[in-house]
C-alpha cells in the first residue's frame, strides 16, 4: 500500500531564508505527487503537482524516484507562506485516489 | 491505531439508488469534514461539523445529507444518485475549528455510479 510521510510537523524559518518541506513516499508503481496548502482560515487548495513541473508562488518540487521524495522548496520564504502543507500521492493509473501525508506547519517569522 | 477510517473504500451503485458512506475518527477531534476530489485532484469541501453541529455547508445538492450522531462520526448520505456524483470522497478531522489545525484524512471512498 502507498504511504506518504512528512517527517516534520512544524518548520519555523525566518523571512528570506530558504525553506524545504520534506515529503517521502512509498509506492511500487509510478505515482503522481501533489502539494496542497491551507492558509489560516482558508480552504484547502492544490498548490502544485509534479507532472506540471510548474512553480507556484515561488515554490517548486521535484520528484526524486531514487530517493522516493517530493520535497517542496522555496529559496526565500515570505511571511504569507505560513500555512499547513500536505503532500499527497495518487496512483499513476486509473486508481487515482489520493493518500495524504500528516502535514507540516510552516511558520515564517519576520 | 488512531486514525480516521471511512467505509466502504469502493462503492459501485446504479443511478437512483440511495447510499451512505461512513466515517469515524478516534483521535478525539472536535471537527470533521467531507471533501470531494474531482478528476483534476482538486479537493472541494462539502460539509464540516464541529461537535455535532453543522458549521460549513457548501453549495452541494440537497441529495447530499451529512449526519453526525456524535462528534466521532460523520456519515454522508446520498439520495437518488446521479452519474455526476461519481468521485472520490474524503473524510477528515481536526482538533480545533475549521481551517485552524492540521487535517487528518481518511483513505477515501471511490463512488462509481453506473
Amino acid at each position: 500500500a502507498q504511504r506518504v510521510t512528512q517527517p516534520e510537523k512544524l518548520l519555523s524559518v525566518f523571512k528570506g531564508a530558504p525553506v524545504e518541506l520534506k515529503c517521502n513516499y512509498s509506492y511500487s508503481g509510478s505515482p503522481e505527487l501533489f502539494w496542497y496548502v491551507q492558509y489560516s482560515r482558508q480552504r484547502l487548495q492544490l498548490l502544485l503537482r509534479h507532472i506540471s513541473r510548474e512553480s507556484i508562488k515561488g515554490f517548486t518540487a521535484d520528484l526524486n524516484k531514487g530517493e522516493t521524495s517530493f520535497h517542496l522548496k522555496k529559496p526565500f520564504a515570505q511571511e504569507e507562506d505560513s500555512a499547513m502543507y500536505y503532500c499527497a500521492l495518487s496512483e499513476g493509473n486509473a486508481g487515482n485516489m489520493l493518500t495524504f501525508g500528516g502535514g507540516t506547519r510552516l511558520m515564517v517569522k519576520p | 491505531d488512531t486514525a480516521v477510517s471511512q467505509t466502504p473504500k469502493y462503492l459501485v451503485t446504479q443511478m437512483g439508488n440511495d447510499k451512505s458512506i461512513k466515517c469515524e475518527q478516534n483521535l478525539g477531534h472536535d471537527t470533521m469534514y467531507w471533501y470531494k476530489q474531482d478528476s483534476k485532484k482538486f479537493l472541494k469541501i462539502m460539509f464540516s461539523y464541529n461537535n455535532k453541529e453543522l458549521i460549513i455547508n457548501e453549495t452541494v445538492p440537497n441529495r447530499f445529507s451529512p449526519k453526525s450522531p456524535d462528534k466521532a462520526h460523520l456519515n454522508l448520505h446520498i439520495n437518488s444518485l446521479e452519474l455526476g456524483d461519481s468521485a472520490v470522497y474524503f473524510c477528515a478531522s481536526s482538533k480545533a475549528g475549521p481551517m485552524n489545525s492540521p487535517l487528518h484524512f481518511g483513505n477515501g471512498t471511490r463512488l462509481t455510479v453506473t
Side-chain angles (χ1 to χ4, degrees), chain A residues 1-3 25-31 89:
Chain A
Q2 58 261 35
R3 188 170 182 163
Y25 68 90
S26 61
Y27 179 63
S28 56
S30 293
L89 172 155

Side-chain angles (χ1 to χ4, degrees), chain A residues 39-53:
Chain A
Y39 301 101
S40 181
R41 298 184 179 82
Q42 292 187 30
R43 304 279 192 261
L44 186 71
Q45 54 189 288
L46 178 62
L47 180 64
L48 55 79
R49 64 188 80 196
H50 91 270
I51 58 173
S52 303
R53 293 184 169 275

Side-chain angles (χ1 to χ4, degrees), chain A residues 7-110:
Chain A
E8 303 142 325
K9 285 195 177 344
L10 174 65
L11 182 63
S12 183
V13 301
F14 284 102
K15 176 183 172 182
V19 63
E20 181 180 56
L21 292 96
K22 291 186 167 50
C23 173
N24 289 93
Y25 68 90
S26 61
Y27 179 63
S28 56
S30 293
E32 289 187 54
L33 275 297
F34 307 83
W35 277 99
Y36 290 82
V37 60
Q38 185 168 29
Y39 301 101
S40 181
R41 298 184 179 82
Q42 292 187 30
R43 304 279 192 261
L44 186 71
Q45 54 189 288
L46 178 62
L47 180 64
L48 55 79
R49 64 188 80 196
H50 91 270
I51 58 173
S52 303
R53 293 184 169 275
E54 56 201 345
S55 173
I56 304 292
K57 300 184 180 183
F59 284 98
T60 58
D62 291 319
L63 179 60
N64 186 323
K65 291 188 177 180
E67 295 182 0
T68 59
S69 67
F70 187 58
H71 304 327
L72 184 68
K73 299 176 185 178
K74 185 169 182 176
F76 308 104
Q78 304 297 315
E79 287 181 71
E80 55 265 29
D81 296 328
S82 296
M84 280 294 304
Y85 292 82
Y86 298 91
C87 183
L89 172 155
S90 79
E91 298 171 32
N93 53 19
N96 76 8
M97 198 179 293
L98 288 164
T99 300
F100 286 89
T104 298
R105 179 176 294 283
L106 174 65
M107 291 179 58
V108 181
K109 296 178 285 189

Side-chain angles (χ1 to χ4, degrees), chain B residues 16-54:
Chain B
N17 284 348
D18 303 339
K19 290 292 178 186
S20 291
I21 308 172
K22 295 185 176 180
C23 180
E24 175 182 6
Q25 55 93 5
N26 60 4
L27 298 162
H29 289 169
D30 289 328
T31 308
M32 296 185 72
Y33 311 81
W34 276 108
Y35 284 87
K36 182 178 180 180
Q37 175 194 318
D38 68 16
S39 58
K40 295 183 180 179
K41 305 293 194 295
F42 289 104
L43 281 178
K44 184 175 179 183
I45 191 166
M46 301 172 68
F47 303 102
S48 177
Y49 270 73
N50 181 262
N51 264 321
K52 301 195 298 175
E53 281 192 44
L54 181 65

